[in-house]
Amino acid sequence: MKKIAIFILIAYTFIWANTLTEKEISDWNSIGVEKMFIGNWKSQGIKTPSDAKKWIDAGENRGSISQWKNIKITDSNEVVKWKKTKLSFSSIQKALKENITPEVLEKWYKEGILYEETILYFNRKITNLEDAKKWKSFNIKNQQDFENLSRIDINSLSELEKWLDVGLSPSEIAKWKYYNVNNPEDVQKWINIGITLKNISQIQSWKQIGLNDVEEITKWKSIDFSPDNVKHYTNKGFSYETINSWLKVGVLPKEIEKFISFGIKTADEAKIWTTNGVYSVDTINYAKDELNINNPVELKEWFDLGFSTTRIKEWKKLGINTAYEANEWKKVEDEENINRWLKAGVNDPEEVKMWKSNKITHLEINLIKEGNLTIEKIKKWREQDNYPIYMIVNLEKGGFKEPQEYLPYKNMNYEHAIKLKEWSNIKPDKLIKSMSIANKIIGKEFYFKDKETFISSYEILNGVCEEIVDKQFFVEIDMSQNKNRCFVFIGTMLQRLDDKNVFGKISQKGIVNTYQNRAFYVENFSGEWLENTIKVGIIKGNGSYKYESNFGTRIIPQGEVLLLR
């Protein structure tokens, strides 16, 4: 069959060629068409060389003309316009079907809409350029995009705009519609009450308890109720209005039933307590049973001053029964110390304030009472020095009725001062004061043990020692500085070096070692001091002593022992 068709075409071309004049043939040749192909052009309806040249200038040939004619384009000028679009024949055919001209395509293209997109929009009956631009601005520009919208029942630009105004993409719209939220106005209501795509499943939770009305759900959410909370309380017969009325007076939902059981049936009835800061039935019961407070105003007075119920109980244990009293105490003392003042017999916070302003603590009150001291007497003593209370009490007991009497004794141990006053009102001199300071040797009293010991010690030392050197033992001071000065010593007799004069009188002497492992020479002492025994006493320095030992010549301090015990 193919051979027959070719044969017929050749025969037809031959017949046409034989009917042409020489001039016609020449005219066809002038545009590049040979004699044998003139029939092909004429078979396509191109009758003259001038018509053929238009097609040739349009870039077509005798074979391609049929393709254009197949899609009903017979004007070479139209071909030029369509070829500029670079659309396929099938796309051009679609455009023609929608009555789209190349001029329309070009106009829409300049507004940012591609040729294929223009054809799609026309196919979807979107022939208004401004509408098309909106669709594209919403990223709806291919068949799949429109099908996606159709699946979520959005079929118009106005409807899509409403959804997009709340900031949703098509995929997000689909999620809302899955939960049966089918219009953007309802979406906005859900968003306004805090339900978004992140927690959209809550919608199902609300629906499961029978709530579909956003307005009703909004009320519950305004008081921070979850679906479970709503179910719990509505099952007990509470409405939103009831619960909200209790919340407005400060009563939490879990307390409502307790109030009702207690006999307070409505929020208005509860106001007598809540306006006074009581929001719990447990607090009311505690106040009545443990605090003996039945009046909410009284309880509020405590609360306003920052006292909890447990602290109120502690105050009442102290015998402080009103908030005013407790507050007055708080102004002057820490709570943990108040009981100590009360135990000391001070029941007035103003009195506490007075004592504290004079640097007297609760620990000293009993001493003050014992000594029958007044604040004026204490101030008088403290004008002389910051004497502690116990010292003032003891001095007064010891016979010092006025601070001026004590002044001569001031720089010595006050207990020794009391003893001196008792022992015939002895006035201290420099020696006595130094004896007071150096009284304790190895933890034992050396001078002030009793009157007899003191008098005998003083009589021995007086006129010999100006004072007893404080804080330095005999061996601790340079030998060149010990002469005629009196020191405390503690030592063990290493070797007795007694001698006898021409009259037969024995002088007791010896070398003594101290606990610092340093030796000194005693040139004279009275009393018993055997070798290898420890003694304490007072020694008057007398320079140094030189002697020969197994280790060569040694020089050690020397002195005369005045007191030995």
Side-chain angles (χ1 to χ4, degrees):
M1 288 296 293
K2 186 176 181 181
K3 289 181 179 180
I4 294 171
I6 293 171
F7 176 76
I8 293 171
L9 179 59
I10 293 171
Y12 178 77
T13 301
F14 179 77
I15 293 169
W16 266 104
N18 286 331
T19 62
L20 295 172
T21 65
E22 288 298 326
K23 185 176 183 313
E24 286 178 314
I25 293 171
S26 176
D27 289 341
W28 282 99
N29 287 337
S30 67
I31 64 170
V33 177
E34 296 181 14
K35 178 181 178 181
M36 64 179 296
F37 296 116
I38 295 172
N40 296 117
W41 284 92
K42 290 197 173 190
S43 67
Q44 295 294 338
I46 310 301
K47 304 300 184 181
T48 66
S50 61
D51 288 338
K53 189 173 186 310
K54 292 177 182 178
W55 284 95
I56 291 170
D57 290 343
E60 301 298 325
N61 57 45
R62 65 183 183 277
S64 62
I65 293 173
S66 60
Q67 291 178 296
W68 289 103
K69 289 191 173 184
N70 287 339
I71 60 173
K72 310 301 183 190
I73 296 177
T74 58
D75 186 342
S76 60
N77 291 325
E78 287 297 308
V79 169
V80 172
K81 293 177 184 178
W82 282 110
K83 286 183 75 172
K84 287 181 180 179
T85 67
K86 297 183 180 179
L87 291 170
S88 66
F89 280 105
S90 61
S91 294
I92 294 171
Q93 196 168 15
K94 290 178 184 177
L96 292 171
K97 185 178 179 181
E98 302 299 334
N99 295 319
I100 301 172
T101 65
E103 289 80 7
V104 171
L105 287 175
E106 188 62 26
K107 179 180 178 182
W108 284 43
Y109 184 80
K110 288 179 179 179
E111 295 293 330
I113 299 176
L114 302 179
Y115 299 144
E116 296 285 0
E117 293 169 350
T118 301
I119 295 169
L120 171 68
Y121 289 140
F122 268 76
N123 180 253
R124 306 285 309 182
K125 309 305 179 188
I126 302 168
T127 58
N128 181 279
L129 177 57
E130 294 305 316
D131 286 347
K133 285 163 67 175
K134 285 183 179 179
W135 282 105
K136 183 162 184 179
S137 70
F138 299 148
N139 210 28
I140 308 300
K141 55 187 180 181
N142 59 48
Q143 189 62 31
Q144 187 62 52
D145 294 335
F146 280 103
E147 289 176 4
N148 290 339
L149 290 178
S150 181
R151 290 191 190 99
I152 56 176
D153 295 325
I154 294 178
N155 299 300
S156 71
L157 182 61
S158 59
E159 187 177 0
L160 178 61
E161 283 180 312
K162 289 178 183 179
W163 283 98
L164 296 178
D165 282 345
V166 294
L168 299 175
S169 67
S171 62
E172 292 170 333
I173 296 168
K175 290 178 183 177
W176 283 102
K177 291 205 169 192
Y178 175 80
Y179 284 94
N180 205 31
V181 183
N182 293 311
N183 63 73
E185 291 80 8
D186 286 344
V187 169
Q188 192 61 58
K189 288 178 182 179
W190 285 108
I191 291 172
N192 290 342
I193 63 173
I195 294 179
T196 65
L197 289 173
K198 291 181 179 179
N199 58 353
I200 195 169
S201 60
Q202 283 189 21
I203 294 175
Q204 195 65 29
S205 300
W206 288 105
K207 288 182 177 180
Q208 285 174 352
I209 64 168
L211 284 180
N212 297 299
D213 183 359
V214 178
E215 302 297 335
E216 183 68 18
I217 294 169
T218 300
K219 290 194 296 185
W220 286 106
K221 284 182 70 67
S222 71
I223 58 173
D224 293 325
F225 263 49
S226 67
D228 288 340
N229 294 142
V230 175
K231 182 179 179 181
H232 174 79
Y233 285 99
T234 53
N235 284 347
K236 290 178 179 247
F238 292 105
S239 66
Y240 160 79
E241 286 72 22
T242 299
I243 290 175
N244 193 42
S245 68
W246 283 94
L247 290 174
K248 284 180 177 178
V249 299
V251 177
L252 296 175
K254 64 181 180 180
E255 290 291 328
I256 296 173
E257 288 180 84
K258 292 182 182 179
F259 270 94
I260 292 172
S261 298
F262 188 73
I264 299 173
K265 303 297 183 182
T266 67
D268 283 339
E269 293 176 35
K271 280 183 181 179
I272 189 173
W273 288 99
T274 59
T275 54
N276 287 291
V278 182
Y279 306 98
S280 164
V281 171
D282 292 341
T283 303
I284 298 172
N285 282 324
Y286 189 89
K288 290 182 175 181
D289 298 340
E290 299 292 330
L291 308 178
N292 195 30
I293 296 176
N294 297 297
N295 183 348
V297 175
E298 181 184 350
L299 194 58
K300 184 177 185 297
E301 290 174 355
W302 285 94
F303 288 163
D304 286 347
L305 293 171
F307 297 108
S308 66
T309 51
T310 52
R311 286 174 63 201
I312 296 170
K313 187 174 182 179
E314 294 301 316
W315 283 100
K316 286 188 171 263
K317 282 181 181 178
L318 297 175
I320 299 170
N321 293 308
T322 69
Y324 174 80
E325 288 180 274
N327 194 49
E328 291 303 301
W329 274 100
K330 272 185 66 178
K331 290 176 182 178
V332 300
E333 185 56 283
D334 296 332
E335 288 182 43
E336 59 267 22
N337 288 328
I338 292 172
N339 191 37
R340 298 184 176 102
W341 284 103
L342 294 171
K343 285 182 177 179
V346 182
N347 300 306
D348 185 351
E350 284 300 315
E351 186 180 350
V352 172
K353 183 178 179 181
M354 180 269 293
W355 289 120
K356 288 183 69 175
S357 67
N358 286 281
K359 298 181 180 179
I360 295 169
T361 71
H362 57 84
L363 298 172
E364 297 168 315
I365 296 299
N366 287 331
L367 281 174
I368 291 171
K369 290 181 178 179
E370 181 185 328
N372 198 28
L373 294 178
T374 63
I375 191 64
E376 289 73 22
K377 177 57 73 76
I378 294 170
K379 287 180 178 179
K380 201 171 183 181
W381 275 97
R382 286 184 169 173
E383 285 173 2
Q384 302 294 336
D385 203 341
N386 189 30
Y387 299 121
I389 295 298
Y390 69 85
M391 183 174 166
I392 298 172
V393 170
N394 287 325
L395 286 171
E396 291 250 342
K397 283 183 178 179
F400 293 97
K401 298 304 180 181
E402 293 297 332
Q404 288 76 10
E405 293 180 54
Y406 179 65
L407 286 178
Y409 303 83
K410 183 174 179 181
N411 294 321
M412 63 181 294
N413 184 297
Y414 81 92
E415 292 176 331
H416 299 160
I418 293 170
K419 288 182 178 181
L420 291 176
K421 191 168 184 64
E422 181 184 333
W423 299 335
S424 305
N425 205 24
I426 300 170
K427 294 292 190 293
D429 56 15
K430 187 175 182 181
L431 174 60
I432 291 175
K433 288 182 178 180
S434 70
M435 290 167 66
S436 175
I437 293 169
N439 181 54
K440 287 284 181 75
I441 303 176
I442 320 179
K444 294 181 179 180
E445 287 197 282
F446 194 75
Y447 313 104
F448 287 86
K449 181 180 178 183
D450 51 47
K451 182 178 180 180
E452 182 182 351
T453 302
F454 171 76
I455 296 297
S456 63
S457 298
Y458 181 73
E459 287 178 347
I460 292 170
L461 299 174
N462 189 29
V464 181
C465 299
E466 182 183 4
E467 64 176 338
I468 310 300
V469 176
D470 180 31
K471 297 179 182 177
Q472 275 189 312
F473 286 100
F474 181 49
V475 295
E476 293 175 335
I477 194 164
D478 189 277
M479 288 180 279
S480 66
Q481 297 178 2
N482 68 21
K483 196 169 184 66
N484 296 322
R485 298 176 70 192
C486 298
F487 300 88
V488 174
F489 74 84
I490 304 172
T492 301
M493 179 61 74
L494 287 179
Q495 183 179 2
R496 293 284 292 264
L497 299 173
D498 300 351
D499 63 10
K500 185 186 295 185
N501 63 18
V502 292
F503 300 105
K505 184 178 179 181
I506 297 173
S507 294
Q508 298 188 105
K509 305 177 181 183
I511 295 176
V512 178
N513 193 36
T514 67
Y515 73 94
Q516 298 109 318
N517 201 28
R518 295 174 65 181
F520 63 90
Y521 173 65
V522 177
E523 60 186 9
N524 185 38
F525 70 90
S526 300
E528 184 181 89
W529 193 355
L530 300 179
E531 289 184 353
N532 298 317
T533 59
I534 299 175
K535 293 285 185 176
V536 299
I538 303 300
I539 188 170
K540 181 179 180 181
N542 191 24
S544 61
Y545 174 73
K546 182 177 180 182
Y547 71 99
E548 298 297 325
S549 72
N550 294 332
F551 303 100
T553 302
R554 294 189 66 187
I555 300 175
I556 58 177
Q558 76 169 357
E560 177 185 0
V561 172
L562 304 176
L563 285 176
L564 185 66
R565 296 198 181 113

